[in-house]
Amino acid sequence: MKTLNDYTVLSNGVKLPCLGYGTWQSPKEDARKGVKTAIDLGYRHIDTAFAYGNEDAVGEGIRDSGIARDELFVTTKHWITDRGYEKTIKAVETSLSLLGLDYVDLYLIHWPCVEKVTPEWKEINAATWRGFEKMYRDGKIRAIGLSNFEKKHVEALMETAEIAPMVNQIEFHPGYTQMDNVKYSKGFGMAVEAWSPLGSGAVLKDEFLGGIAAKYGKSTAQLCIRFALQNDVIPMPKSVTPERIKQNMEVFDFEITGEDMKAIAAMPELGFSGFRPEEAPADALVNGD
Ligand code: A2P
């Protein structure tokens, strides 16, 4: 990863830029301005989700930037209330309409349905995926993938999938790397993306990381982003602050040594969100328990 313009080639040939701009927890107005700022600065990969409630604002930010559509890589995600074939098709149409786009570059199942929610979890994920496959074949989505899936959920999906998922987006940052899942997902042939590459800000005050970052004359945020890049994991740091949006792309002028990479990977758990797919955190949020 030498420049912001580097990319990973997905299993269907689509090019996924190696660093993205995240919008989780960005209120609409911040998302609109942040997306425009990021694109003006040179980001070409924007990540949102239906559940973030800001797809319309992200779309506005894209239009404000004036960028040509085919220069941009836009990801959004399917929400758990839209599980099933018909609902998935409608969900894609809703997200496209909110974004004001004719297609998205990548669409992800935000969370797997799991056994704790229903014994029919496999069938439900399979039906959702059939909806993904239809919209992919119809040209509404250039690449389809998963988020927060573990081996068990991927294997179950593959019992009926006609098209294999191309991406898995998981929580990944110093202090919580899920290396087993990273290895599994890559071995499967998926590109791995990091959500919360800065631990949602929770790892940025850590002294150990701060000490390593200082050696390179970089901020802890830049160290975390570079750590993902050097693990061949695609980070999408979120910031609504223009200086930070800029700082977060200035990560191609240094290289973390092998020794430091190992030390960061081995650090004790820090900044874990608490979200485990088998605990169905998203379903709990929706059902209110
Ligand atoms: P803000 O959006 O107010 O600028 P993650 O990408 O892991 O979800 O982390 C996002 C959090 O990290 C946000 O609170 C964001 O704050 C903060 N953040 C993003 N970039 C930086 C940076 N370069 N320095 C300090 N904090 C940052």
Side-chain angles (χ1 to χ4, degrees), residues 134-260:
K134 174 181 169 34
M135 296 311 259
Y136 173 73
R137 288 187 176 116
D138 285 356
K140 302 287 182 189
I141 311 169
R142 292 180 66 230
I144 48 178
L146 312 171
S147 185
N148 301 302
F149 272 58
E150 293 174 350
K151 183 173 185 233
K152 159 183 181 174
H153 315 118
V154 179
E155 284 180 347
L157 195 78
M158 289 313 292
E159 288 173 19
T160 54
E162 291 179 2
I163 302 171
M166 297 148 195
V167 170
N168 196 9
Q169 182 180 126
I170 59 174
E171 180 174 0
F172 176 96
H173 52 78
Y176 195 73
T177 57
Q178 306 195 73
M179 277 308 180
D180 285 352
N181 195 357
V182 171
K183 279 192 197 128
Y184 168 73
S185 297
K186 284 188 190 171
F188 178 92
M190 292 187 279
V192 179
E193 296 184 331
W195 62 259
S196 285
L198 315 176
S200 286
V203 305
L204 298 179
K205 289 200 172 69
D206 182 70
E207 283 183 13
F208 169 72
L209 291 174
I212 298 180
K215 281 200 309 194
Y216 299 99
K218 289 287 176 179
S219 70
T220 302
Q222 290 170 318
L223 182 80
C224 293
I225 295 163
R226 186 74 207 179
F227 175 72
L229 290 172
Q230 288 185 218
N231 274 297
D232 277 324
V233 171
I234 296 140
M236 291 154 311
K238 171 261 175 187
S239 175
V240 298
T241 317
E243 307 80 64
R244 290 176 175 172
I245 299 174
K246 182 163 186 294
Q247 186 195 111
N248 292 347
M249 57 191 269
E250 291 167 348
V251 291
F252 298 97
D253 55 356
F254 76 114
E255 175 98 21
I256 305 171
T257 63
E259 200 182 329
D260 284 341

Side-chain angles (χ1 to χ4, degrees), residues 76-80 83 88 106-113 124-130 132 144-149 157 165 167-169:
T76 194
K77 309 182 194 85
H78 167 277
W79 189 235
I80 63 167
R83 285 172 178 153
T88 294
L106 177 63
Y107 195 55
L108 306 176
I109 300 188
H110 207 145
W111 288 93
C113 186
I124 290 174
N125 288 332
T128 302
W129 193 247
R130 275 202 307 282
F132 271 58
I144 48 178
L146 312 171
S147 185
N148 301 302
F149 272 58
L157 195 78
V167 170
N168 196 9
Q169 182 180 126

